[in-house]
Amino acid sequence: MTKAPDFSLHDQNDMLFTLRLLEGQIIILIASNMDALNHNRQWGKAIREQYRETVYILGVADTRGIPSIMENMVRKFFKDEEISILLDWKGHIFDTCGLSAGVSNIVLIDRNGFIRYIHAGEASKKAIESLFHEVNVLMS
């Protein structure tokens, strides 16, 4: 098992999230750049329907390369999302977790801050079932 990166990122509403603040919770990160936004929403819907109150669900947007002058526009773009979207301006989570560009990345972090599962790809039935199995193991 690998320890999750100790991130400190703000979401689209400028709320600060750190791994330490979320310690003791099961966390699912749904991460990508803009190329996989629709797939992220499919993942988010499936995860929220199954685990709405029992896991902490966060989006992570790979915002590297976006000029700082456009930061407010990016925040506004994500304003209506149902979950907090962490804005990863330096690609910290993507680099430290080895996430893939252009696809949805699902990262499951246990209550002790260890990465227990990573998946890169669409929200297929098989992929969703695999994630849910891993979450259920952590919850038991």
Side-chain angles (χ1 to χ4, degrees):
M1 281 187 289
T2 304
K3 189 77 169 160
D6 190 17
F7 58 83
S8 178
L9 297 170
H10 289 87
D11 73 357
Q12 74 271 34
N13 299 308
D14 208 31
M15 289 180 51
L16 178 66
F17 287 84
T18 68
L19 186 60
R20 284 186 221 158
L21 288 174
L22 300 171
E23 194 171 353
Q25 301 199 45
I26 296 171
I27 304 163
I28 299 175
L29 303 178
I30 306 168
S32 78
N33 58 13
M34 292 299 290
D35 295 339
L37 185 59
N38 288 331
H39 294 282
N40 288 358
R41 289 180 175 146
Q42 291 171 354
W43 275 108
K45 183 177 187 283
I47 295 166
R48 281 191 319 276
E49 287 175 359
Q50 184 74 21
Y51 299 108
R52 184 173 305 275
E53 303 297 325
T54 54
V55 300
Y56 213 96
I57 307 163
L58 292 169
V60 182
D62 185 358
T63 51
R64 285 181 285 194
I66 297 175
S68 59
I69 195 165
M70 296 182 69
E71 285 184 16
N72 285 333
M73 183 185 304
V74 171
R75 282 188 173 84
K76 286 179 184 175
F77 178 81
F78 290 115
K79 268 302 193 213
D80 295 331
E81 294 296 324
E82 293 187 41
I83 62 173
S84 290
I85 308 296
L86 306 182
L87 304 174
D88 193 358
W89 298 104
K90 295 181 180 176
H92 176 69
I93 290 177
F94 287 81
D95 290 344
T96 57
C97 292
L99 302 183
S100 301
V103 297
S104 292
N105 294 270
I106 305 303
V107 181
L108 175 61
I109 303 171
D110 70 17
R111 289 181 172 95
N112 297 313
F114 286 93
I115 296 174
R116 298 296 292 263
Y117 177 84
I118 294 179
H119 172 80
E122 297 179 13
S124 68
K125 183 178 179 184
K126 182 178 178 180
I128 291 169
E129 288 173 355
S130 178
L131 171 65
F132 288 1
H133 170 75
E134 296 297 325
V135 173
N136 292 337
V137 167
L138 291 179
M139 294 176 75
S140 61

